[in-house]
Amino acid sequence: MMTQEEFMDVMAMKRQGLTVKEIAQETGYHPSTISNWLRNGGPPAKRAVAAPAVIDEQTAARIAELVRPHRGCWPPACLR
């Protein structure tokens, strides 16, 4: 993700007359990414995405119930 400082550098390069392709080569970002950021006023804000629960509480309780008698049992051969 591009930092604000990098974006300011991109803006400066654009003001100096560099093409989008030249800016992309200089920064290492794809030309369409540079073009989008210049058109939209910068990179999008970082999204805050909550991780969905992998299993629900009922399933977690059932797993705990199944594992409880075998707690501390290792290697897995003792589960047979």
Side-chain angles (χ1 to χ4, degrees):
M1 179 88 165
M2 179 181 278
T3 65
Q4 186 65 29
E5 184 178 346
E6 288 176 313
F7 179 66
M8 297 307 289
D9 292 342
V10 167
M11 295 290 290
M13 287 186 256
K14 186 65 176 168
R15 281 191 301 274
Q16 292 171 3
L18 273 71
T19 66
V20 169
K21 190 172 184 178
E22 291 170 331
I23 295 170
Q25 288 173 341
E26 183 71 27
T27 60
Y29 291 98
H30 194 274
S32 65
T33 301
I34 298 294
S35 178
N36 286 336
W37 289 347
L38 289 170
R39 184 175 44 253
N40 297 324
K46 187 175 180 180
R47 293 185 290 179
V49 179
V54 177
I55 57 174
D56 58 25
E57 290 181 28
Q58 183 180 5
T59 305
R62 178 66 179 139
I63 291 170
E65 179 184 324
L66 292 169
V67 172
R68 190 171 298 118
H70 304 288
R71 229 182 221 150
C73 182
W74 193 257
C78 65
L79 296 175
R80 293 185 190 134

